[in-house]
Amino acid sequence: MKVAFVSLGCAKNLVNTEQMMALTRAAGHTVTGEPEGADIAVLNTCGFIDSAKSEAIQNILELAALKDQGKLGKLLVTGCLSQRYQDELTKEMPEVDGVMGTGSYTDIVSALEELAAGGHPRRFGDISRTDEDGERLVTTPSYTAFLKIAEGCDNRCAFCIIPYLRGRYRSRTMEALLEEARALADRGVKELIVIAQDITRYGIDLYHKQMLAELLNELCKLPFHWIRLHYLYPDILGDDLIEVIARQPKIVKYIDIPLQHSNDRILKAMNRHTTNAQIRALLGKLRERIPGVVLRTSLICGLPGEGEAEFEELCQFLRESAIERAGIFQFSPEEGTPAAEMEDQVDPDVAQRRVELLVELQSRVMDHWNEQRLGETMEVLCEGFDPDMGCYAGRTYADSVDVDNHVYFTAAGLIPAGEFVNVRITGTQDGDLTGEIEE
């Protein structure tokens, strides 16, 4: 049987897709990334916010069109969208032949076999008791891979649906993580990206204390060149962990801290556990203890109750903190979350305008940082030749995969993808850096 896998959403979802691909291949089936000509397509969806839901539905419709044309056999939808809309999905979209939730990724083979036999599988296991270990068919470039150290979330932010879709926070064991990391290193992975919904809380459920610092020290003993961290929550980002990040040269000095806002009243409404003063103190400490650190965050505009004063405070915070990287999002009232039921909902057009203003402000912060790089020589991970740009493309420590910008550089010879090179920065272009390789 030929099975095509399509993964949407975050890197954590991609890891689940890679696990399903490995199980499918181990069962003797052919695995592909191209739905056309496949017996079954597996669409692993995101259902986090409206834009993600729209993308998932659009992909379902595109795969359904292939079915209608006789170019695809059947369609199995998995992931957060199916977990969230277990009944609605098959009722409203008859194109879907089977569904699986986020608690049932390891049931992929039996679901595929049921589909092939003419059935309509429904698999919805316990979302707080999943097997996160086992083989993966890694789909990222050979030099980069994700290491998911935990699943679920206990933070219960008022705007967020993830705990309802992914279950309680549960760490993987140190032994399993190090075994997987060694296998990735043996395969030639040079950039290891440590991920979870909240990596800061790693180990608390298993070992009754924060264990991320210990895990990172062990990972740094393996032959990775870069170790990148997503996401560090501000409320328990303590001195021990900061010291490890500062001391270990393999850990890139790039810290992704989801702050969401800066106004105390809005932060409290979000059920966040920090204040404006605490956030500012933490950012100051990070800049002092980790020279050259690049900060990334996510911010939400338009939470219920956010008025002009609260928004202006957020703008002022971004100007003063000069956070180098920021994802700006419009509040999405997700059914089932406390924020969706709050009073004083902000008009969506007003929220969208605030997003645009904050994006413009953030672009100026980023442009200033880029201009300061002119004349510097920076280490760049080459990701290959970009035919549209007519030169090579890569990333510095300040740019994570898929979410940040690039460095476009020229070189006299052939530079393989995955090679680290030194690039002298000579210019900027639409938020990206440009330069030339230093021989």
Side-chain angles (χ1 to χ4, degrees):
M1 185 162 54
K2 187 176 182 181
V3 185
F5 286 85
V6 179
S7 190
L8 305 178
C10 66
K12 299 179 290 295
N13 213 39
L14 177 62
V15 170
N16 291 133
T17 302
E18 293 173 343
Q19 292 167 328
M20 290 192 291
M21 293 172 73
L23 289 168
T24 301
R25 188 173 65 175
H29 304 297
T30 300
V31 171
T32 179
E34 178 50 61
E36 188 168 334
D39 298 299
I40 299 174
V42 180
L43 178 65
N44 195 18
T45 61
C46 178
F48 179 40
I49 55 177
D50 284 343
S51 58
K53 290 183 283 187
S54 296
E55 181 187 25
I57 292 169
Q58 181 61 37
N59 273 264
I60 291 172
L61 295 175
E62 290 173 0
L63 292 170
L66 286 180
K67 286 178 59 182
D68 290 342
Q69 298 164 20
K71 298 178 180 178
L72 172 65
K74 297 188 177 182
L75 174 57
L76 176 65
V77 178
T78 68
C80 289
L81 187 77
S82 53
Q83 180 67 40
R84 189 170 182 183
Y85 301 107
Q86 299 179 16
D87 297 323
E88 296 91 333
L89 196 59
T90 49
K91 287 179 181 177
E92 298 178 14
M93 304 195 78
E95 304 93 339
V96 176
D97 300 299
V99 289
M100 294 201 322
T102 57
S104 300
Y105 288 118
T106 51
D107 294 336
I108 181 63
V109 173
S110 65
L112 292 172
E113 292 172 348
E114 184 178 345
L115 259 181
H120 296 277
R122 287 176 56 85
R123 303 283 195 280
F124 291 98
D126 187 344
I127 62 173
S128 289
R129 294 182 180 276
T130 55
D131 182 4
E132 300 298 328
D133 298 331
E135 294 296 320
R136 291 163 52 196
L137 186 57
V138 179
T139 58
T140 45
S142 60
Y143 49 83
T144 295
F146 298 103
L147 181 69
K148 186 165 77 167
I149 67 173
E151 179 57 281
C153 186
D154 292 340
N155 289 322
R156 298 282 173 174
C157 299
F159 54 83
C160 185
I161 196 68
I162 286 175
Y164 306 94
L165 304 180
R166 291 285 181 169
R168 61 175 177 78
Y169 191 90
R170 51 211 186 272
S171 304
R172 296 175 60 196
T173 65
M174 287 268 288
E175 292 78 9
L177 290 171
L178 293 175
E179 180 181 358
E180 182 174 341
R182 289 188 197 101
L184 292 171
D186 290 343
R187 292 182 48 174
V189 169
K190 298 180 180 180
E191 179 186 37
L192 186 73
I193 307 176
V194 179
I195 60 170
Q197 191 60 33
D198 176 0
I199 65 172
T200 336
R201 285 175 166 76
Y202 172 72
I204 292 176
D205 56 317
L206 272 185
Y207 305 109
H208 310 295
K209 63 176 182 176
Q210 290 176 256
M211 289 287 288
L212 181 60
E214 287 86 341
L215 175 63
L216 293 177
N217 279 326
E218 292 302 312
L219 291 174
C220 286
K221 296 176 183 178
L222 300 176
F224 300 113
H225 192 83
W226 280 352
I227 297 176
R228 192 178 293 276
L229 310 178
H230 291 280
Y231 308 96
L232 293 158
Y233 272 58
D235 53 319
I236 59 169
L237 178 49
D239 289 343
D240 290 348
L241 182 54
I242 293 173
E243 190 275 332
V244 170
I245 296 171
R247 174 174 51 82
Q248 290 284 9
K250 291 184 179 182
I251 301 177
V252 295
K253 309 318 177 199
Y254 169 105
I255 299 182
D256 193 335
I257 311 176
L259 299 174
Q260 311 303 0
H261 215 280
S262 63
N263 174 266
D264 285 347
R265 189 175 64 79
I266 298 298
L267 287 167
K268 184 176 181 180
M270 288 178 163
N271 196 33
R272 304 288 290 183
H273 306 297
T274 49
T275 64
N276 181 297
Q278 290 169 334
I279 290 171
R280 288 175 180 271
L282 174 61
L283 299 187
K285 179 188 293 186
L286 291 171
R287 294 200 188 280
E288 178 184 355
R289 298 272 296 276
I290 310 173
V293 68
V294 165
L295 301 175
R296 179 175 179 84
T297 195
S298 53
L299 300 170
I300 295 175
C301 296
L303 192 93
E306 182 192 67
E308 291 301 324
E310 289 80 9
F311 176 65
E312 177 52 38
E313 182 176 331
L314 181 58
C315 292
Q316 187 63 23
F317 167 77
L318 196 54
R319 291 188 197 98
E320 294 174 356
S321 62
I323 292 174
E324 291 84 358
R325 308 283 187 263
I328 316 296
F329 301 94
Q330 181 177 341
F331 169 69
S332 179
E334 298 301 316
E335 66 270 24
T337 63
E341 306 299 323
M342 289 178 180
E343 297 180 354
D344 299 325
Q345 295 280 329
V346 176
D347 182 274
D349 291 338
V350 172
Q352 177 58 34
R353 178 57 180 156
R354 290 176 182 171
V355 169
E356 293 169 359
L357 290 170
L358 214 57
V359 166
E360 182 181 346
L361 175 59
Q362 171 60 22
S363 68
R364 293 200 293 270
V365 173
M366 187 172 66
D367 288 345
H368 178 68
W369 188 87
N370 281 349
E371 288 165 5
Q372 290 181 313
R373 308 282 77 76
L374 295 177
E376 281 190 20
T377 296
M378 303 187 73
E379 184 179 53
V380 172
L381 171 58
C382 179
E383 296 188 302
F385 189 83
D386 188 319
D388 294 331
M389 297 295 291
C391 60
Y392 289 96
R395 292 181 287 112
T396 72
Y397 80 97
D399 301 295
S400 193
V401 63
D402 292 335
V403 296
D404 294 314
N405 295 330
H406 289 86
V407 178
Y408 295 100
F409 63 95
T410 57
L414 176 66
I415 309 297
E419 192 81 11
F420 283 91
V421 294
N422 290 323
V423 173
R424 185 169 65 86
I425 305 303
T426 58
T428 66
Q429 181 175 323
D430 298 328
D432 296 310
L433 296 172
T434 60
E436 54 191 29
I437 195 170
E438 282 201 345
E439 302 297 341

